[in-house]
Amino acid sequence: MAFNRPKKKLMEDDEVIVLNNVSKSYQAGVQALSNVNIRIKKGEFVFVVGDSGSGKSTFIKLLLRELVPTTGSIYILDYNLNKIKHRKVPKFRRNIGVVFQDFRLLKDRNVYENVAFAQRIIEVPSAQIRKNVPKVLATVGLAGKYKVKPGRLSGGEQQRVAIARALVNKPSIILADEPTGNLDPKNSMEIMKLLEEINEKGTTVIMVTHNKEIVNAMQKRVITLNKGVIISDVEKGGYNDEI
Amino acid sequence: MKFSTFFYTLWQGVKNIFRNKLFSLASVATISACLFLFGVFYSILANFQHIVKTAEEGVCVVVFFDEDITEERISEIGTMITKRPEVSKINYVSAEDAWNVFKDEYLGEYSDGFTENPLADCANYEIYLNDVSLQNALVTYLESVPGISEVKRSELTALTLSNANKLIGYVSLGIIGILLAVSVFLISNTVTIGIQVRKEEISIMKYIGATDYFVRAPFVIEGILIGLIGSAIPLGLIYFIYNRALNFVRDQFKVLSSLLNFLTVNDVYKMLLPICLGIGVGIGFLGSFSTVRKHLRV
Ligand SMILES: Nc1ncnc2c1ncn2[C@@H]1O[C@H](COP(=O)(O)OP(=O)(O)OP(=O)(O)O)[C@@H](O)[C@H]1O
Ligand SMILES: [Mg+2]
């Protein structure tokens, strides 16, 4: 007789990211994250805030599987990041678009090539690339600048190229580590508008920021880290002023 | 792998070469020098061997018979000799044949004065060998055969030739070996620098979800291309100077012209081309692949 004990469900159907008791310490003995528990649903927009050194970037790196947790487990989409095989990591990462504070564009290539680059990497046929790239450049409002090299763009424009690059492979999740950190308020708000639009089309967005105004203006979920510990996690919240 | 990916990777490999021109150039130059030397030595050796072989083919041992020998015994000896493994061909020269040849070669019209064959006892076997170094063994054997009165060995032995052959071979192998090691080292450096220069790009590629293969391939292609260029240059060069060199040698050693039976450039290239390309590409692949494995933790 089959003994069908129901498996413990690790993830609800509408969840895309689950962290169970995740801790991360670096070799140097620094405990960057301690016992972090987070569940994120598909289509959520989540801010992660906290002081410098509170572990925000470490959190992003864990989600990208650039790092593995010291203890605890991470599930993202259909992947168990603790068990994923090295050669499956690229395939996993194709579900995630990532944006950094310093843009990280290829300076020797123009806007079009920077975005097409992301498609080449996942081996999209050239004909398809020629269709997809202009479309996504239009989405971020850079259709007219496709031939320009990053060095001749403003910070806001460069970040939009980076977002286009993150977006072009149609990821289910966008991770942004202080995407407005190098931008003035006006450009910052434009980037936020863009990320919100992307989120409204169904992409889950997780954004690390220091920017109080942005967090307060957007009224989204806010997770606050302090010294590697979650001290608050609120729906539709503002910036946690305790930190 | 998709078609477009292949070309993209290839193009990235080509771009890598131009990104650090100096090192690429140094690598190409070393491989070229190495394979040029190899090609020159190979051409010399190939011709040497060809000349020796042609000379060897003409080498024959001649046996003469006792005066009172019967026809049957001569043909019996012939069968025995034919069975020897070192014998490639055996040719019976009757007394008349010997006389005719002698007449034609040395006497011409003066031969009319002879009514009898002065070479009546000069029937012989010309025995051709498939390997000159076995001449001694054969001669020893022949001298022990009853009915044979005299064995004339050929004075041309390949021994001296093959010794010179070997020396050239070892020296060139040594030089080529050193140069090959230098080439691998240089390619490895070229690729390492390429990887360093592109660290940022590589990290972005990995975030986006590039496979190890995709990240590594351009560097390996870079190495292979360097190897390919490095072998194409000396091959072109040697092809170009080969005939000039032959003419020069012919002019210098006019006396030996009957002996100097050179190979054509196409004959030499039948082997040289694939070997050179193989070594060049092989070194390029080896140098870059091992470096990528070591320095490109993906
Ligand atoms: N590679 C590393 N090796 C050792 N310690 C590290 C490493 N990376 C980060 N840390 C430490 O881990 C802690 C958390 O760092 P993390 O970069 O996650 O902070 P953060 O919240 O992103 O800070 P910031 O707002 O300045 O970007 C810090 O104490 C940091 O010094
Ligand atoms: Mg950080």
Side-chain angles (χ1 to χ4, degrees):
Chain A
M1 189 187 80
F3 185 64
N4 274 332
R5 189 171 53 148
K7 270 195 198 145
K8 190 180 161 214
K9 210 165 183 194
L10 301 162
M11 245 175 150
E12 298 300 326
D13 289 340
D14 59 345
E15 286 173 337
V16 287
I17 297 176
V18 172
L19 279 78
N20 281 330
N21 280 320
V22 170
S23 297
K24 175 69 196 177
S25 39
Y26 288 102
Q27 263 100 349
V30 186
Q31 178 94 357
L33 287 176
S34 316
N35 273 315
V36 168
N37 286 290
I38 296 177
R39 307 184 84 88
I40 294 172
K41 289 198 175 74
K42 184 175 178 346
E44 269 194 283
F45 194 117
V46 183
F47 283 115
V48 178
V49 301
D51 275 346
S52 183
S54 58
K56 306 180 296 292
S57 295
T58 302
F59 171 62
I60 296 289
K61 284 177 183 161
L62 285 169
L63 299 188
L64 276 168
R65 218 218 170 244
E66 195 184 336
L67 297 174
V68 283
T70 313
T71 59
S73 45
I74 302 178
Y75 302 89
I76 296 181
L77 302 167
D78 293 328
Y79 296 87
N80 177 345
L81 292 203
N82 295 61
K83 293 203 175 138
I84 187 170
K85 289 206 178 71
H86 174 81
R87 65 189 162 78
K88 297 268 179 166
V89 172
K91 200 148 178 253
F92 157 72
R93 286 193 182 142
R94 293 175 188 191
N95 296 291
I96 296 179
V98 55
V99 181
F100 298 98
Q101 178 172 358
D102 55 358
F103 321 131
R104 300 199 193 172
L105 301 174
L106 303 173
K107 289 166 192 69
D108 59 336
R109 278 168 248 192
N110 65 28
V111 168
Y112 178 93
E113 272 304 319
N114 264 282
V115 178
F117 180 65
Q119 293 246 283
R120 294 236 160 77
I121 284 170
I122 66 165
E123 303 192 39
V124 176
S126 296
Q128 197 63 42
I129 296 179
R130 282 193 288 273
K131 269 193 230 158
N132 294 345
V133 175
K135 226 187 261 174
V136 76
L137 282 177
T139 315
V140 300
L142 280 176
K145 302 218 167 182
Y146 71 99
K147 268 188 177 163
V148 182
K149 296 250 170 87
R152 315 193 59 183
L153 294 173
S154 75
E157 285 169 332
Q158 288 189 54
Q159 194 60 295
R160 279 189 271 159
V161 178
I163 291 175
R165 183 180 67 192
L167 218 52
V168 71
N169 292 346
K170 300 195 163 59
S172 357
I173 301 167
I174 293 255
L175 302 178
D177 194 348
E178 304 197 40
T180 61
N182 284 354
L183 304 180
D184 60 27
K186 180 175 160 286
N187 273 310
S188 297
M189 282 328 284
E190 272 172 15
I191 292 297
M192 289 320 297
K193 230 164 58 196
L194 188 54
L195 287 175
E196 194 173 23
E197 278 167 26
I198 292 164
N199 175 243
E200 276 161 6
K201 285 180 197 153
T203 310
T204 309
V205 178
I206 295 164
M207 173 172 157
V208 168
T209 185
H210 279 122
N211 193 315
K212 199 169 159 175
E213 286 74 42
I214 288 177
V215 175
N216 287 334
M218 302 268 295
Q219 290 295 303
K220 304 282 188 189
R221 180 174 172 189
V222 182
I223 296 172
T224 308
L225 283 170
N226 185 20
K227 296 194 177 105
V229 178
I230 295 181
I231 56 167
S232 69
D233 182 351
V234 288
E235 300 286 329
K236 295 189 192 286
Y239 200 84
N240 187 333
D241 283 314
E242 282 172 43
I243 56 170
Chain B
M1 187 177 45
K2 297 210 174 67
F3 210 55
S4 54
T5 305
F6 174 76
F7 282 108
Y8 181 76
T9 312
L10 197 66
W11 177 232
Q12 292 307 309
V14 172
K15 277 183 23 184
N16 278 358
I17 292 179
F18 287 99
R19 277 210 185 92
N20 45 107
K21 292 190 193 75
L22 207 67
F23 261 88
S24 303
L25 208 68
S27 310
V28 168
T30 334
I31 296 187
S32 291
C34 171
L35 290 179
F36 181 75
L37 276 182
F38 176 79
V40 168
F41 284 128
Y42 177 85
S43 306
I44 292 173
L45 283 181
N47 273 298
F48 223 100
Q49 246 150 24
H50 180 68
I51 290 168
V52 168
K53 208 164 159 254
T54 324
E56 278 178 5
E57 275 162 9
V59 168
C60 70
V61 175
V62 183
V63 293
F64 298 93
F65 312 105
D66 292 340
E67 275 176 41
D68 52 356
I69 197 159
T70 60
E71 295 281 329
E72 289 78 49
R73 181 60 190 155
I74 289 180
S75 65
E76 223 176 271
I77 293 173
T79 327
M80 280 158 65
I81 296 172
T82 316
K83 281 193 187 131
R84 301 279 299 180
E86 65 268 32
V87 170
S88 74
K89 204 173 80 183
I90 167 165
N91 199 10
Y92 179 67
V93 183
S94 67
E96 283 87 68
D97 293 339
W99 175 232
N100 285 337
V101 171
F102 186 80
K103 254 188 348 197
D104 290 351
E105 262 183 37
Y106 300 102
L107 300 178
E109 57 209 68
Y110 305 109
S111 62
D112 297 345
F114 295 90
T115 46
E116 251 177 84
N117 183 355
L119 298 179
D121 296 328
C122 285
N124 63 66
Y125 277 127
E126 287 171 3
I127 306 161
Y128 294 85
L129 297 161
N130 39 31
D131 184 352
V132 182
S133 66
L134 298 171
Q135 182 172 259
N136 279 340
L138 182 70
V139 169
T140 314
Y141 165 76
L142 292 173
E143 280 168 345
S144 72
V145 175
I148 290 180
S149 65
E150 193 187 353
V151 181
K152 271 177 83 179
R153 56 165 71 216
S154 161
E155 289 314 314
L156 181 90
T157 66
L159 217 60
T160 43
L161 292 182
S162 47
N163 276 345
N165 236 348
K166 266 187 200 144
L167 187 68
I168 296 179
Y170 288 138
V171 170
S172 52
L173 268 183
I175 296 172
I176 290 162
I178 292 167
L179 282 170
L180 283 184
V182 173
S183 315
V184 172
F185 174 77
L186 275 171
I187 287 192
S188 168
N189 271 300
T190 310
V191 170
T192 308
I193 288 180
I195 291 173
Q196 244 124 48
V197 169
R198 301 182 64 197
K199 264 219 158 79
E200 170 97 4
E201 183 176 340
I202 290 169
S203 88
I204 295 168
M205 287 169 84
K206 287 194 278 183
Y207 280 130
I208 295 171
T211 56
D212 292 4
Y213 166 80
F214 193 92
V215 174
R216 285 169 166 172
F219 295 104
V220 176
I221 286 188
E222 178 186 1
I224 291 175
L225 285 177
I226 287 176
L228 205 63
I229 299 169
S231 54
I233 291 173
L235 280 172
L237 216 60
I238 292 172
Y239 196 90
F240 186 68
I241 62 176
Y242 186 85
N243 282 328
R244 282 154 204 262
L246 282 198
N247 287 336
F248 177 78
V249 173
R250 279 201 194 98
D251 280 354
Q252 295 296 306
F253 302 98
K254 277 212 177 87
V255 222
L256 295 172
S257 59
S258 65
L259 246 164
L260 295 180
N261 226 316
F262 291 116
L263 290 165
T264 66
V265 71
N266 289 333
D267 282 335
V268 172
Y269 269 53
K270 256 177 221 146
M271 283 293 280
L272 187 62
L273 189 80
I275 293 179
C276 259
L277 285 177
I279 294 179
V281 169
I283 286 190
F285 178 79
L286 208 79
S288 55
F289 189 76
S290 61
T291 309
V292 160
R293 293 227 86 165
K294 211 163 81 197
H295 293 291
L296 204 57
R297 287 268 130 250
V298 282

